[in-house]
Amino acid sequence: MADDEPTRAARLLDAQAKAERLFAEIEERGLVAPGEGERAVSDRVRDLANELFGTTRHWHKRIVRSGPNTLKPYRENPPDRVIGADDIVFADFGPIFEEYEADFGRTFVLGDDPVKHRLRADLGEIFAAGRRFFEAAPDITGQQLYAEVERLAAEAGWELGGWHAGHLVGEFPHETVDGADTESYIAPANDTRLRRTDKAGRSCHWILEIHLIDRQREFGGFYEELLTL
């Protein structure tokens, strides 16, 4: 029997809280460090999740990217790269906790490069501004929210690194609606309302993801978490 909506919301929030704890431990334990390969860091994060929460599955591929690899959108698979001493690195993980999906991403800056530190700060600010825009518009579409995130990025001097700015999230595996390449994403082609129900009559919940890039300097950053709860 499917969970009722308050239970679904609580479990999605609990899954995100666990993911947030995982990322706090990544930073505290210094897992993102110069001289480490991206895949090795990804494997250590996987092992840490298992240590903290028991054997953990992931609903999408585990991503750790550094330097020029941070320019690449999710669907690409750049070659493994060794993290440098003055690098920027982002991690994007989708662990499953009690059959509910989390999707969480953060950026780490090694060294003192002021532009990289500004990028990391802007990620959180643009996420917050995008969420405020969403909250202020009850009938907002995916198209409208994407356009606002794109505007906020340009205003701060960055480009968006991907074709969308977020997606549906829910019980594993989350159900994709008809027209999955559009209606399941916060994207220019999605002119449907984000606040709606799926085919089973459940509320749609969304992840907002901010992927900012600087093509000239060849680096980017990433930030994502729940938008709707």
Side-chain angles (χ1 to χ4, degrees):
M1 183 175 179
D3 291 327
D4 60 26
E5 188 53 41
T7 302
R8 290 182 72 232
R11 290 191 173 179
L12 282 168
L13 285 168
D14 180 66
Q16 175 159 292
K18 288 184 170 71
E20 195 166 9
R21 181 186 167 200
L22 172 64
F23 272 68
E25 288 284 341
I26 291 170
E27 190 148 22
E28 186 173 325
R29 300 188 189 200
L31 296 190
V32 178
E36 300 286 352
E38 294 167 341
R39 289 177 189 166
V41 173
S42 174
D43 288 345
R44 290 190 184 112
V45 173
R46 175 203 61 203
D47 294 343
L48 175 59
N50 294 343
E51 173 191 329
L52 294 174
F53 307 112
T55 302
T56 302
R57 294 177 295 151
H58 297 260
W59 69 269
H60 71 64
K61 66 183 179 183
R62 295 175 285 113
I63 290 177
V64 173
R65 292 184 181 164
S66 63
N69 286 352
T70 60
L71 296 173
K72 304 297 185 182
Y74 170 84
R75 288 181 177 176
E76 294 194 30
N77 296 292
D80 191 28
R81 180 179 180 276
V82 175
I83 297 168
D86 193 34
D87 230 333
I88 188 166
V89 184
F90 74 70
D92 173 11
F93 283 76
I96 303 165
F97 300 109
E98 297 178 3
E99 300 309 310
Y100 278 82
E101 301 162 348
D103 203 3
F104 204 79
R106 289 293 188 270
T107 295
F108 306 84
V109 176
L110 310 177
D112 301 319
D113 186 319
V115 182
K116 292 173 182 173
H117 281 278
R118 180 171 70 83
L119 173 60
R120 183 174 64 175
D122 285 348
L123 286 161
E125 291 177 6
I126 290 172
F127 180 95
R131 172 177 270 174
R132 288 193 298 270
F133 188 79
F134 169 81
E135 290 173 344
D139 295 323
I140 192 170
T141 66
Q143 183 182 74
Q144 290 167 335
L145 183 52
Y146 181 92
E148 176 63 8
V149 171
E150 187 174 44
R151 186 193 70 78
L152 290 164
E155 187 176 71
W158 313 107
E159 291 180 57
L160 291 187
W163 63 273
H164 70 88
H167 53 80
L168 288 170
V169 69
E171 298 93 328
F172 177 78
H174 67 258
E175 182 177 5
T176 56
V177 297
D178 293 334
D181 284 343
T182 54
E183 294 181 7
S184 295
Y185 291 92
I186 299 168
N190 184 6
D191 60 0
T192 62
R193 294 172 67 249
L194 297 179
R195 291 180 179 87
R196 63 176 195 265
T197 55
D198 63 19
K199 289 184 290 187
R202 300 169 301 186
S203 296
C204 288
H205 291 296
W206 296 88
I207 291 289
L208 179 62
E209 60 180 68
I210 310 298
H211 182 198
L212 303 179
I213 62 172
D214 185 324
R215 292 190 191 277
Q216 184 176 359
R217 295 184 176 90
E218 295 190 314
F219 66 76
F222 190 75
Y223 187 109
E224 74 171 336
E225 61 181 72
L226 278 165
L227 168 68
T228 46
L229 292 168

